[in-house]
């Protein structure tokens, strides 16, 4: 195997109650990459479509992640990387993570899988750090592992894949405005009221329990955010109305995807997801900002060869 | 059935990563109560042994909890309550919760179980409020339901029983000093650094995942407290040394039980629990404060008729 084509899925991080720790993997929305072995050592990004990104390996998220895995192995060959972006930068559904996860997965496959998927998360995180300014795994983890993931902690990185029920669907509304992760971090306070932190970790615990037990009602009750959403929602025009529209249409919960501006909802079953997507679209038409809609099952596989 | 004798187990709340939300139920350590139907309506506390507590129903934790359930039903009979305390007040292993949970369980049994165990938690919480100054369910929930419980939130009360693996043991060292819950609340700050809150909810998520999957290593990695322990450990002489002794002897984790002063450790298997108990005892002998030791399986049943 000298060349593979890879699907690098979009992801939703935070999920209301799990700021910086929870994420899930989407199906049908993602970048494509082609990774090719080369006889000459080193890394070359040979083609980028769909986005205006640097070809310079050290300035490119995929390049930096690729360097991390290649430097760990020092293989006898080099790699050529083609990046075909479909996920827009700054959309809040893990654009940079998809590039970082895709390239480390692809190189690992071409080298005969010296690393487990869990081990790949660490390499992918190095690429993600170039985009967000610090090492975060809340988007790369679900992209690499699929399903729902919890980043328990760093030092050392400890990522857990969480079992989830089969009828969960995610709806994503992506307003065509860019919210930089650095900006959406800047609006956050350095401290949080202890009583709000307790509410938040109660909900996170409930959400994890809901995933393991397939308790959709509990998932819905737990999908609340009293810590981050009050600050970040101001950056997203129309947020409150779209969220209410999703809940009124029967979504289990709704909130900000990652750092925004995308707005997500979780739903039980495809029919409900379609109703919720329609309600969110209808609400957002009144805002006057162009947007994309996605409906997706939870992608339990993660990044894969296509 | 006109009279029943009840075992009201001790409990451990908080469990490091779950301040105000997590709790577990102990076996073999607990109060006993006798509840008797009386033809005359109303409630009478007829006997208290093992502690100097008020017989006045409205000033007694069990009395207040009993009033809550009796007022909700208005039965054609009254009840006599005997309380035989074995759990010392202010020990940090749910003394007041045991009284509150025991009495509502007993009255519910004598009335033919009009309420589910989940519903009883709400009544028991009313009694607990008399002791702690506010309504908390983190001890009453595991006492009523058994096993591990998560209080996801209040308004309305939402308690989830969490599945747990069968080989878990708890070790409790109870130094014979009293730490009032109000004092141990007073040392806590009103705010917490966002980064510490994230660490804490990452660990809580990991702990819940560890319980569902029976992953003891994950349970151990998650049993950390970066929010509360730094403040409360100062109230407990010898805490740090006992905790380190427990960890060195192979405990999965160790920390403050509830509001203290009891110090708990969780262990995999009885042999390990005995080793850990010995190490904790040896360490505490140097402190010069008398103490009790308990080793207990997790009690999955909760309060029960004996």
């Amino acid at each position: 195997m000298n060349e593979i084509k890879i699907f690098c899925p979009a992801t939703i991080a935070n999920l209301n109650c799990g700021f910086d720790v929870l994420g899930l993997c989407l199906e049908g929305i993602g970048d494509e990459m082609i990774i090719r072995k080369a006889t000459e050592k080193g890394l070359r990004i040979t083609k980028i479509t769909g986005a205006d990104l640097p070809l310079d390996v050290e300035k490119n998220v995929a390049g930096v992640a690729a360097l991390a895995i290649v430097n760990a192995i020092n293989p006898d060959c080099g790699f050529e990387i083609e990046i075909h972006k479909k996920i827009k930068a700054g959309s809040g559904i893990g654009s940079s993570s998809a590039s970082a996860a895709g390239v480390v997965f692809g190189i690992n496959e071409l080298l005969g899988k010296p690393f487990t998927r869990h081990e790949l998360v660490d390499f992918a995180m190095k690429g993600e750090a170039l985009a967000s300014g610090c090492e975060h795994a809340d988007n790369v983890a679900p992209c690499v592992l699929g399903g729902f993931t919890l980043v328990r902690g760093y030092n050392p990185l400890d990522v857990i894949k969480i079992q989830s029920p089969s009828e969960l669907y995610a709806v994503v509304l992506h307003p065509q405005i860019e919210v930089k992760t650095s900006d959406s971090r800047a609006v956050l306070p350095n401290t949080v009221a202890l009583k709000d932190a307790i509410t938040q970790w109660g909900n996170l615990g409930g959400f994890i329990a809901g995933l393991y037990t397939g308790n959709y009602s509990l998932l819905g009750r737990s999908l609340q955010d009293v810590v981050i959403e009050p600050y970040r929602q101001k950056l997203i025009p129309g947020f409150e109305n779209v969220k209410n529209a999703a809940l009124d249409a029967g979504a289990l919960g709704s909130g900000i995807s990652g750092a925004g501006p995308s707005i997500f909802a979780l739903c039980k079953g495809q029919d409900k997801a379609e109703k919720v997507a329609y309600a969110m679209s209808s609400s957002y038409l009144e805002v006057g900002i162009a947007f994309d809609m996605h409906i997706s099952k939870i992608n339990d596989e993660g990044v894969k060869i296509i």
Side-chain angles (χ1 to χ4, degrees), chain A:
Chain A
M1 194 162 60
N2 283 308
E3 177 180 312
I4 50 176
K5 190 174 181 182
I6 296 158
F7 175 70
C8 319
T11 47
I12 301 175
N14 298 344
L15 299 169
N16 289 9
C17 53
F19 178 67
D20 267 5
V21 302
L22 273 184
L24 69 78
C25 188
L26 296 169
E27 209 169 72
I29 322 160
D31 297 342
E32 288 176 12
M33 298 179 96
I34 294 168
I35 319 280
R36 208 173 286 121
K37 267 191 192 170
T39 45
E40 190 186 342
K41 282 183 136 194
L43 295 168
R44 281 161 298 281
I45 299 172
T46 54
K47 194 175 187 181
I48 299 175
T49 66
D52 184 22
L53 294 170
L55 289 164
D56 182 343
V57 168
E58 295 188 11
K59 291 180 181 159
N60 182 294
V61 164
V64 171
L67 277 174
I69 185 169
V70 163
N71 288 342
I73 295 188
N74 194 22
D76 270 343
C77 61
F79 296 95
E80 291 177 2
I81 303 162
E82 282 186 25
I83 305 168
H84 303 284
K85 293 299 291 180
K86 316 262 171 151
I87 313 169
K88 293 194 184 77
S91 56
I93 50 171
S95 179
S96 55
S97 292
S99 296
V103 78
V104 298
F105 172 80
I107 290 175
N108 192 55
E109 291 287 318
L110 288 174
L111 291 174
K113 301 191 195 181
F115 296 107
T116 65
R117 283 195 182 233
H118 262 90
E119 290 168 332
L120 294 180
V121 176
D122 218 340
F123 297 122
M125 205 168 62
K126 307 294 182 209
E128 168 72 8
L130 182 70
S132 69
C134 51
E135 293 193 4
H136 278 286
D138 47 350
N139 283 103
V140 290
C143 189
V144 171
L145 299 174
F148 284 82
T149 55
L150 172 81
V151 183
R152 189 199 59 79
Y154 299 86
N155 307 312
L157 180 66
D158 191 2
V159 174
I160 300 119
K161 182 165 177 177
I162 310 287
Q163 176 189 307
S164 61
S166 60
E167 288 183 89
L168 265 185
Y169 280 75
V171 179
V172 178
L173 186 149
H174 171 215
Q176 305 285 310
I177 51 171
E178 183 172 350
V179 174
K180 289 211 171 96
T181 303
S182 52
D183 291 345
S184 63
R185 291 236 161 222
V187 298
L188 299 181
N190 290 322
T191 60
V192 44
L194 179 58
K195 71 174 179 51
D196 290 336
I198 294 165
T199 301
Q200 199 85 346
W201 63 58
N203 281 319
L204 176 67
F207 191 77
I208 304 262
L211 288 175
Y212 277 109
T213 56
N215 184 334
Y216 292 93
S217 164
L218 175 56
L219 289 174
R221 300 198 301 278
S222 305
L223 274 170
Q224 295 183 35
D225 180 358
V226 300
V227 170
I228 303 300
E229 188 178 285
Y231 295 94
R232 283 196 170 164
Q233 63 173 288
K234 299 164 199 158
L235 302 176
I236 307 169
F239 172 78
E240 203 171 339
N241 286 344
V242 173
K243 174 174 173 159
N244 288 334
L247 295 175
D248 290 346
L252 299 169
S254 174
I256 301 168
S257 175
S262 285
I263 302 160
F264 81 95
L266 289 188
C267 304
K268 182 183 177 185
Q270 189 170 353
D271 283 0
K272 186 67 79 182
E274 286 168 2
K275 281 195 186 77
V276 166
Y278 178 76
M280 291 171 77
S281 303
S282 302
S283 166
Y284 217 74
L285 283 172
E286 294 171 19
V287 179
I289 295 173
F291 61 92
D292 298 327
M293 288 295 308
H294 306 285
I295 298 178
S296 169
K297 278 203 82 160
I298 307 307
N299 172 356
D300 200 54
E301 192 178 4
V303 58
K304 65 177 176 183
I305 298 172
I306 50 176

